[in-house]
Amino acid sequence: MPSGTIRYWAAAKAAAGTAEETYEATTLAGALAAARDRHADRPEFARVLARCSFLVDGRQVGPRAHDAVPLAEGGTVEVLPPFAGGAR
């Protein structure tokens, strides 16, 4: 299973309580589901995540379904709240 880094910016960073963490997932949907589970004790995290946009290895995810966005070994997912460059 691919592993890499999730980087949180601005409100996402505050809600997660960390600037980055690792993922082990084959898709963006899997990585985000695991992150939600890890931060289940921080209800603001799920609310912030719902408003974010994402970059995977420097490319915008945009409107693509998250389960259709593959993750690579050693990849990076950037989590961008609207005021940090995200758009929703």
Side-chain angles (χ1 to χ4, degrees):
M1 180 161 315
S3 64
T5 302
I6 301 175
R7 290 189 186 139
Y8 300 107
W9 297 95
K13 178 180 172 181
T18 187
E20 64 181 49
E21 60 191 0
T22 60
Y23 69 74
E24 286 190 17
T26 57
T27 66
L28 178 58
L32 295 177
R36 281 187 203 91
D37 288 347
R38 271 192 304 278
H39 300 290
D41 61 330
R42 302 176 75 99
E44 183 62 16
F45 179 75
R47 287 190 288 272
V48 169
L49 205 61
R51 297 188 312 265
C52 289
S53 63
F54 304 94
L55 299 176
V56 173
D57 296 331
R59 284 173 259 163
Q60 291 182 344
V61 171
R64 288 184 288 162
H66 293 167
D67 60 353
V69 178
L71 298 179
E73 178 65 33
T76 302
V77 174
E78 306 279 350
V79 180
L80 306 169
F83 56 88
R88 276 233 170 168

